[in-house]
Amino acid sequence: MPRSLDVGLFLSAAAIGLGFGVLPGARAASLNLYSAQHEQTVDLLTKEFTKETGIDVKVHSGEAPELASQLVKEGRSSPADVFFTENSPELELLSEKGLLAKVAPATLASVPAQDSGSAGDWVGVFARENVLAYNTGMIQEAALPASLLDLAKPEWKGKIAIAPTDADFLPLVGAVAAMKGRPAALEWLKGLRDNAMIFDDDEGVVAAVDRGAVATGIINNYYWARLSMEKGVQSAIHHFAGGDVGGLMNVSGAAVLKSSRNQAAAQKFLAFLVSKPAQELVSKLNITFEYPLAAGVAANPMLKPMSELQPPSLTLKQIGDDHDAAALLSEAGLI
């Protein structure tokens, strides 16, 4: 996905003591990070981690499904030490394949248990909310559907935009299948296929909504916030309520590969990611607008407080590993 914000102006704000230093004279390790997180966020965090620990981080960036597939193919020969990604399904896949090391208990304890892998081999770092962007000049919020599933109905033809090939769309498909069953999920996707304008990514969706090319679009919350910070907007976002699947929270997480030859340094990096100072650093800057998961860290003020959100009651295991979600999208003719 494109990454358009420049964090150069923010790097001076990163001088926060995080307590991850190395002993004088100790030899610092080097980490290979496979990252599907936003490049600006990763750049900020890795630079601060290196400054605090002396451990250099080499970043290999890519789309989450492709990186996860690469890690599966590489197996025990992978050069990766850590995988840091935007959504839980890729981490669940690697967990199922037995490729992840157990995360240090103290690191897991830094975030709510439900936001990390149930096997204890990956830790949740940030979260994002699925929302509906809408053009305020084309439609009023009161006219928006009560449920995300309603967007497959004929009356929404030509009024909705989606990005089915964006990695962020896959967890939503998995969530619909988990809550409503696979047949219902397939019918929903077929309805979207008939109704929706198709874009390559969520950034394309929110831009189309904002310029009035389409009335509404399914996105993750941070795309709207980023566009708003960059240029101001003619649109708003709608939060699905009542536990509707449309209000799904996506968890971004990180894991250490079993094959890593730098286990101690890799575990230190995971602990750093969920430390309160690191999470505060990200939440206070207008970069990716994700919800911090560490206890006691407030979200960026542009975000609706997490306590006011009403996401569906789904476990990360129920959302799945993306394989069936991708199969459903293919069956529906969306990919």
Side-chain angles (χ1 to χ4, degrees):
M1 279 174 265
R3 308 289 192 250
S4 56
L5 293 181
D6 180 6
V7 299
L9 296 176
F10 301 130
L11 291 178
S12 62
I16 298 174
L18 296 173
F20 291 92
V22 292
L23 293 174
R27 182 180 178 185
S30 177
L31 290 176
N32 287 321
L33 173 64
Y34 279 29
S35 174
Q37 245 291 359
H38 281 270
E39 292 175 8
Q40 292 81 9
T41 302
V42 172
D43 186 55
L44 182 71
L45 290 170
T46 54
K47 279 183 169 60
E48 182 63 24
F49 177 73
T50 298
K51 183 171 67 175
E52 292 295 327
T53 66
I55 300 171
D56 183 50
V57 182
K58 297 179 175 63
V59 181
H60 172 55
S61 298
E63 295 292 338
E66 286 77 11
L67 284 180
S69 178
Q70 182 179 343
L71 284 165
V72 170
K73 291 177 181 177
E74 291 172 348
R76 295 182 180 181
S77 299
S78 177
D81 295 301
V82 177
F83 181 46
F84 185 21
T85 187
E86 290 181 312
N87 297 303
S88 63
E90 291 78 27
L91 290 158
E92 287 294 302
L93 172 65
L94 298 179
S95 176
E96 292 164 7
K97 298 292 184 181
L99 296 175
L100 304 181
K102 295 293 185 181
V103 178
T107 300
L108 290 171
S110 298
V111 302
Q114 68 268 20
D115 294 324
S116 296
S118 59
D121 54 5
W122 65 268
V123 64
V125 180
F126 301 113
R128 306 178 317 286
E129 181 197 12
N130 191 83
V131 296
L132 195 64
Y134 67 99
N135 188 292
T136 55
M138 299 177 71
I139 192 169
Q140 297 299 306
E141 187 170 20
L144 295 175
S147 172
L148 182 80
L149 301 180
D150 293 338
L151 293 169
K153 295 179 177 179
E155 56 263 35
W156 286 95
K157 187 174 181 64
K159 300 178 182 178
I160 178 71
I162 62 173
T165 59
D166 191 307
D168 288 340
F169 198 77
L170 288 162
L172 187 60
V173 176
V176 173
M179 291 186 70
K180 302 298 180 181
R182 197 177 192 281
L186 181 58
E187 288 306 305
W188 173 67
L189 290 172
K190 287 179 178 178
L192 289 183
R193 177 198 63 200
D194 295 339
N195 289 348
M197 293 177 63
I198 306 297
F199 291 86
D200 290 336
D201 51 41
D202 278 11
E203 288 180 324
V205 170
V206 72
V209 171
D210 197 63
R211 67 175 180 266
V214 63
T216 65
I218 300 170
I219 60 168
N220 272 174
N221 68 279
Y222 59 58
Y223 291 102
W224 182 87
R226 290 173 68 198
L227 184 68
S228 178
M229 287 299 302
E230 287 179 335
K231 60 182 283 294
V233 291
Q234 303 300 315
S235 56
I237 54 174
H238 172 70
H239 305 267
F240 287 98
D244 185 74
V245 67
L248 180 71
M249 296 295 289
N250 290 330
V251 173
S252 169
V256 175
L257 279 300
K258 275 186 180 178
S259 57
S260 170
R261 298 179 182 179
N262 302 293
Q263 291 287 326
Q267 290 286 349
K268 184 176 288 189
F269 184 69
L270 262 59
F272 164 83
L273 290 177
V274 297
S275 68
K276 187 174 180 179
Q279 297 246 312
E280 286 179 338
L281 177 63
V282 173
S283 67
K284 289 178 179 178
L285 301 179
N286 297 326
I287 301 174
T288 54
F289 303 97
E290 296 183 84
Y291 288 92
L293 292 179
V297 181
N300 187 293
M302 280 195 69
L303 302 180
K304 186 174 183 176
M306 188 180 284
S307 61
E308 297 178 14
L309 304 181
Q310 300 177 37
S313 298
L314 282 172
T315 66
L316 300 171
K317 182 67 71 176
Q318 286 177 294
I319 294 171
D321 63 10
D322 272 353
H323 275 181
D324 195 48
L328 281 165
L329 285 165
S330 179
E331 288 178 46
L334 283 168
I335 60 175

